[in-house]
Amino acid sequence: MIKAKYVAMVLGVAAVVGVTYWSKQRLVEPSAYQQELDDIVNMREFSRWGPGSETQESWTVPVVIPESAPIEQWDRVHTQPQLMFIYSSDATAYTMNLDGTEVRQLFDRYDLGDKLAKDGTLTRSPNGRYLSFKYFGPASDDCAVYDLKDKKLLATYDNCYGRQFSLDSEYLYFTGNLGVPSRLILATGETIELTPEVLELDGEKYSSFNTSSIGVNEAQDRLTWTINRMNLNGLGAKVLGRDQLIYRLSDMTLLGKEEFWTPLCAQGYRRSPDYRYFVCIEDRRNYIYDFDKPTELVEQAPEAFVLKLGQWYVDWKGKYVRRLRLDGETAKFESMIYHYSVDEEGNDFTTLRGLRAYIPLSLAKQLDDLDLAAVMPRIPTEEEYQATYQRLLAARNKKRGQ
């Protein structure tokens, strides 16, 4: 009991000293980092909403879009991962550094003629030259590819499920409305259908209209065409199962049926911007796999897109970037979520949505040695948090005359 009273006395004295110290300090304009931390502490400690999550916090990254944003050079050398997004009513596409700086224009409405690009659909080729995206068509979300080097629309077509650029940036693989796995030759804009619309194999008849997904694994030189086996008897069609038809990607030779992807990925996957991993989403959980070993689970990840495994992720809806606290790091929170907001000439901030990460292949090869935490606001330590709390508490008490 004596020890407990002694500890309580020490803590009480420390609190009084802290309040007295902060009440006597000269008023100094806080840094942008400190202002954001002030907002976090005010929200957690002094608002009716309370602390919310004890293990996670969010941080606002300010973004400035110049009135005349510079044009992105397709072969620009990047030192940070890029975040691409569609902004404004005229559907202008931009890219910026991970830390929200150096906003540059990819294309604007007038580069696309009468087409409006759809938010959250931008995908960029590994060499940086081509952009694939969906746009609002007459009756559906149609698809297009834009050439950043020649500043022109390369191709437009109906739908583009399972889009994936080849690592050499020569092709775009996808399936269209008819469900036929296809390859767009980026040098010419020509589309080639890679499989027949109807195929018989091992006594089964397959139709492209029943396509579930396609997958491209360049590490294994494989293209997979996953097709639903249908029972067409009686009233309506019923899915009996899914078969993965395996092709050798380099020459499109049919190799047979095989469980090449895990069943979790039978209906498709999302390739991560570092090109090494892919995610399959089921029941709102993100299962991460490696292209080198496509059936071995790497991790159940907190978000769908991996920037750096175990460290940095992007939400699959493109609402934020998440950073995880590393082992041994003296940070208060286990994870920090970064939202990106644009200040529209003094009006309320507009939080960006539909963010899509892009990492040039040359930068992806250096990613393991790149410290992304060095360019982003750090996760505050417990000491920083408590010092801010004491200062704000002292200011509140002084205002109340205490």
Side-chain angles (χ1 to χ4, degrees), residues 151-165:
K151 309 296 182 186
K152 68 177 183 180
L153 272 174
L154 180 67
T156 60
Y157 43 96
D158 293 337
N159 278 315
C160 47
Y161 303 109
R163 290 174 295 157
Q164 183 173 323
F165 283 105

Side-chain angles (χ1 to χ4, degrees), residues 206-273:
Y206 299 99
S207 170
S208 62
F209 285 106
N210 299 324
T211 295
S212 176
S213 66
I214 67 166
V216 175
N217 190 325
E218 294 181 87
Q220 304 290 329
D221 191 25
R222 294 292 184 267
L223 181 143
T224 62
W225 183 16
T226 303
I227 306 181
N228 296 330
R229 276 185 284 109
M230 308 296 294
N231 176 13
L232 302 178
N233 298 325
L235 299 176
K238 181 180 180 181
V239 177
L240 300 178
R242 295 183 178 90
D243 290 336
Q244 298 178 35
L245 309 187
I246 311 300
Y247 291 82
R248 187 163 51 234
L249 179 64
S250 53
D251 59 14
M252 287 306 298
T253 297
L254 178 60
L255 301 178
K257 289 188 291 188
E258 178 189 339
E259 291 297 313
F260 185 81
W261 308 103
T262 172
L264 283 173
C265 306
Q267 297 187 71
Y269 61 81
R270 296 172 184 269
R271 183 171 70 174
S272 290

Side-chain angles (χ1 to χ4, degrees), residues 279-291:
V279 61
C280 305
I281 302 174
E282 185 169 293
D283 296 330
R284 298 185 179 181
R285 294 182 175 90
N286 308 299
Y287 299 95
I288 306 296
Y289 297 86
D290 192 314
F291 279 108

Side-chain angles (χ1 to χ4, degrees), residues 84 106-107 123-124 129-133 144-146 148 165:
M84 304 180 297
L106 293 166
F107 60 72
T123 302
R124 194 169 175 182
R129 177 170 177 174
Y130 303 100
L131 278 172
S132 171
F133 58 92
V145 174
Y146 185 79
L148 290 172
F165 283 105

Side-chain angles (χ1 to χ4, degrees), residues 6 141 179 195 203 354:
Y6 175 74
D141 292 336
T195 66

